[in-house]
Amino acid sequence: MTVDEGPKFNTLVWSDEFNGKGIIDTTKWFHQTQIPKHGEWWGGIIQHYTNRIENSYLDNGKLHIVAKKEVFEDQGWQKDYTSARLNSKFAFTYGRVEIRAKLPFGVGTWPAIWMLNKNIKEDGAYWENQGFGTTNWPMCGEIDILEHWGDNQDYVSSALHNGSSHGDIVKNVGGQKIKDASNTFHTYVFEWDKDKMTFSIDGVEHYQYQPSIKNTYTWPYDSDYYLILNIAIKPDIDSNFIESPMVIDYIRIYQ
């Protein structure tokens, strides 16, 4: 289904065009590097997230988040892969998010652009550090604008996690196959109002979430959420993998 070309959200309220060269804009982004207490990130992923320029930098008007194969020790833990995980210092309720990006290659890579409620209790997250953490996952709510798994090249998925649908039993999910996700820029759009959420790629809708009953289990989506950009590495990573980037041309938020 093709999305209506006349979006109701048309006032730009926040953006990053990723101009410049070198370090990212730290007035807009926070590097989340603190490992959970058990020494591994949730979901069984096996990389360190770092704040090094090798893993996240600006070049040629674009943000590069780079997953790399390298032995790296941090916080008392040695891992064989590194990447970056960025939290936005902007949070909002309702609007349209537009992202132009291309995604990394490689079986075992797991890039994502997603959102969490700024009330999530998660040690080391930007909004937790600001004193907003009150609610555990999944009751805080999660919005996955896009995910891509390297073992299913070119299939892009969107999902909602909440008290009624989360983790391995998530049921609020949809996706589509696109052409050449890793070499070609595509435009990923998420629209969110008080009634529903819609996800599309290049104007083609692939999922809509509009639960008939809205309560704390199905719809925690009426307060501020922030963006997360990352590439995770799964245990089944291709042994020949060396490095691959997620390249983002821009992110724009309209209300």
Side-chain angles (χ1 to χ4, degrees):
M1 181 169 68
T2 301
V3 175
D4 184 352
E5 292 300 323
K8 56 188 169 184
F9 302 112
N10 52 24
T11 300
L12 184 68
V13 295
W14 185 91
S15 68
D16 199 335
E17 303 295 324
F18 302 114
N19 295 322
K21 187 177 181 67
I23 62 171
I24 64 171
D25 185 345
T26 55
T27 68
K28 294 183 176 181
W29 300 102
F30 170 78
H31 281 100
Q32 186 177 356
T33 61
Q34 183 176 328
I35 307 170
K37 291 179 181 178
H38 51 76
E40 292 183 358
W41 289 91
W42 307 108
I45 53 181
I46 61 173
Q47 78 294 317
H48 270 306
Y49 290 126
T50 88
N51 59 6
R52 303 177 309 153
I53 199 168
E54 290 89 343
N55 293 115
S56 57
Y57 62 89
L58 303 179
D59 188 45
N60 196 30
K62 297 174 179 61
L63 169 66
H64 298 248
I65 295 178
V66 186
K68 302 171 71 73
K69 183 177 184 177
E70 58 177 336
V71 176
F72 189 80
E73 185 171 343
D74 187 29
Q75 302 168 62
W77 296 88
Q78 181 175 294
K79 299 182 183 294
D80 295 325
Y81 298 89
T82 61
S83 182
R85 174 175 170 137
L86 305 184
N87 297 186
S88 71
K89 296 182 178 181
F90 177 78
F92 67 102
T93 306
Y94 310 142
R96 170 185 171 96
V97 183
E98 183 174 318
I99 302 150
R100 186 170 183 261
K102 58 183 181 180
L103 308 178
F105 275 115
V107 171
T109 58
W110 180 9
I113 298 176
W114 51 301
M115 301 173 69
L116 284 171
N117 196 315
K118 72 179 186 182
N119 70 9
I120 187 173
K121 291 176 68 174
E122 183 181 26
D123 288 346
Y126 175 73
W127 293 98
E128 166 79 13
N129 291 347
Q130 308 307 305
F132 287 91
T134 61
T135 307
N136 290 323
W137 189 92
M139 295 302 292
C140 63
E142 175 180 325
I143 303 165
D144 297 332
I145 299 174
L146 73 88
E147 295 180 275
H148 179 268
W149 291 270
D151 58 358
N152 192 9
Q153 181 65 38
D154 298 331
Y155 184 82
V156 177
S157 177
S158 304
L160 282 305
H161 297 253
N162 50 50
S164 68
S165 171
H166 55 87
D168 292 337
I169 59 168
V170 64
K171 58 187 178 182
N172 304 320
V173 61
Q176 61 176 294
K177 196 90 168 181
I178 62 175
K179 185 176 180 180
D180 203 9
S182 298
N183 285 313
T184 303
F185 284 99
H186 293 270
T187 302
Y188 302 88
V189 171
F190 164 60
E191 289 201 353
W192 165 33
D193 62 28
K194 64 182 180 62
D195 296 315
K196 67 181 179 181
M197 299 179 176
T198 303
F199 302 83
S200 63
I201 305 172
D202 298 331
V204 179
E205 181 183 321
H206 59 260
Y207 185 60
Q208 187 176 109
Y209 181 63
Q210 190 174 16
S212 57
I213 298 174
K214 289 185 171 67
N215 55 36
T216 56
Y217 286 88
T218 64
W219 191 266
Y221 308 113
D222 54 5
S223 55
D224 285 352
Y225 280 69
Y226 65 97
L227 286 165
I228 302 170
L229 321 174
N230 72 287
I231 304 173
I233 299 294
K234 297 175 64 182
D236 64 348
I237 186 72
D238 183 344
S239 60
N240 294 316
F241 177 85
I242 301 299
E243 68 175 63
S244 190
M246 174 162 63
V247 182
I248 303 175
D249 187 14
Y250 62 76
I251 299 177
R252 299 168 184 163
I253 298 175
Y254 300 86
Q255 288 185 315

